Amino acid sequence: MNNKIYPCIWLDKNGKEAAGYYKSIFPDTHIAEDNGLVQMLSISGQNLMLLSAGPQFKPNASISFLIASENEEETVRLFNELSVGGIVLMPLDSYPFSTKYGWVRDKFGVTWQLYTGEKGNTDQYFIPTLMYVNQQNGRAKEAIELYTRIFPGSQTESVMEYDGQEDTKGNVQHAQFHIDHFTMACMDSSIQHQFNFDEGISLVVITADQQETDYYWNNLVQEGGKESMCGWLKDKFGVSWQIVPQKLMILMNQDDREKAKKVTDALMQMQKIDIDKLSAISAA
């Protein structure tokens, strides 16, 4: 499974609690890393990063996680488990597109779409689903075009459009696509929502070297994107990305804690990550 790309959930310093909660609900799940700030979950071999960073941002329904199962009983179980302490956004019921479907926000603010049916051409347990709302409404197809053009190994699997009855004609009801062999989905919504894309849920891209870091950074901030700090950026739709060189993990987790702190301090002053500069600081 491709773990070069994975979602990150920003939490208010309760990542340990959330990690234990998800571990108790999802099958074949374990905590692969826990350094206090970051808890990395492996869910059926798929990475989900929890960032216990504070109250500045919160996850919202602009990015939800779709779990498809051919077993209705499993859909019901997941819906019931995730509803405890949470809020039901769409009741568990039969819909034209699924015999059993529900949408729920769990007690940590993360939203899940539980779907009975085939998951398509993917082996992922969950599929990040981007919802284009408010000023971004109607741009789902444009986003697919951008992402599949930037990332290698990309393709659009399916696009289902509204016919004009439930939403604006031509808007995306549901689309599934792959970027660098990582499966994502997206949709448009013409309903006014009280949220937009933000740092509450971001997408992490692990890069092999500086050249690859530069490539993704430069392409994702083009045409109206925005650079942020510590490898974070927003693309022109407002979706947050973290472009992270693989070597950064090694430099920040080395045994020499003094050198690791120097690397971290230098990182905090950067926008795009300069891995050669951080390597030089570590070697000094």
Side-chain angles (χ1 to χ4, degrees), residues 2-18:
N2 179 5
N3 275 322
K4 288 174 58 179
I5 305 173
Y6 51 83
C8 169
I9 302 172
W10 187 297
L11 295 170
D12 187 6
K13 299 182 180 179
N14 55 356
K16 286 181 182 291
E17 180 186 352

Side-chain angles (χ1 to χ4, degrees), residues 223-259:
E223 302 173 21
K226 184 178 180 181
E227 297 183 348
S228 188
M229 301 301 292
C230 306
W232 289 66
L233 64 86
K234 287 188 176 183
D235 66 28
K236 65 180 182 178
F237 309 104
V239 177
S240 292
W241 299 78
Q242 299 181 56
I243 311 302
V244 182
Q246 177 65 46
K247 191 174 181 181
L248 178 65
M249 314 294 187
I250 299 172
L251 295 177
M252 293 182 67
N253 292 293
Q254 60 183 300
D255 292 335
D256 189 325
R257 301 316 301 163
E258 183 177 346
K259 288 186 176 181

Side-chain angles (χ1 to χ4, degrees), residues 172-185:
V172 173
Q173 183 175 9
H174 180 83
Q176 188 155 302
F177 61 102
H178 313 275
I179 57 171
D180 198 3
H181 310 287
F182 178 78
T183 305
M184 296 178 63

Side-chain angles (χ1 to χ4, degrees), residues 36-67:
L37 177 64
V38 170
Q39 291 78 33
M40 184 71 78
L41 287 177
S42 174
I43 303 176
S44 294
Q46 182 179 357
N47 281 355
L48 178 62
M49 176 180 172
L50 308 179
L51 182 63
S52 296
Q56 296 92 330
F57 304 104
K58 297 179 180 179
N60 65 57
S62 63
I63 300 182
S64 59
F65 301 124
L66 172 68
I67 300 177

Side-chain angles (χ1 to χ4, degrees), residues 104-177:
V104 62
R105 184 172 71 192
D106 70 26
K107 63 182 180 180
F108 296 99
V110 181
T111 60
W112 303 85
Q113 298 188 59
L114 294 317
Y115 169 85
T116 300
E118 296 182 357
K119 62 174 62 178
N121 185 26
T122 183
D123 59 357
Q124 290 174 203
Y125 181 73
F126 63 88
I127 300 171
T129 302
L130 283 61
M131 182 163 61
Y132 292 79
V133 301
N134 303 329
Q135 290 185 336
Q136 305 303 330
N137 174 41
R139 303 186 75 185
K141 284 185 239 179
E142 182 187 351
I144 294 172
E145 191 280 328
L146 176 67
Y147 301 150
T148 55
R149 174 162 48 85
I150 291 174
F151 288 86
S154 296
Q155 68 178 63
T156 303
E157 183 177 340
S158 61
V159 178
M160 182 186 304
E161 297 181 357
Y162 284 106
D163 60 9
Q165 296 184 28
E166 296 179 331
D167 203 294
T168 304
K169 185 175 182 179
N171 265 8
V172 173
Q173 183 175 9
H174 180 83
Q176 188 155 302
F177 61 102

Side-chain angles (χ1 to χ4, degrees), residues 49-118:
M49 176 180 172
L50 308 179
L51 182 63
S52 296
Q56 296 92 330
F57 304 104
K58 297 179 180 179
N60 65 57
S62 63
I63 300 182
S64 59
F65 301 124
L66 172 68
I67 300 177
S69 174
E70 295 183 5
N71 185 332
E72 280 193 16
E73 292 182 359
E74 179 63 3
T75 301
V76 173
R77 183 190 73 81
L78 289 171
F79 183 88
N80 290 338
E81 292 274 13
L82 292 165
S83 298
V84 176
I87 299 172
V88 172
L89 303 179
M90 287 182 67
L92 188 66
D93 206 343
S94 175
Y95 294 86
F97 52 85
S98 175
T99 58
K100 194 71 70 175
Y101 169 88
W103 194 339
V104 62
R105 184 172 71 192
D106 70 26
K107 63 182 180 180
F108 296 99
V110 181
T111 60
W112 303 85
Q113 298 188 59
L114 294 317
Y115 169 85
T116 300
E118 296 182 357

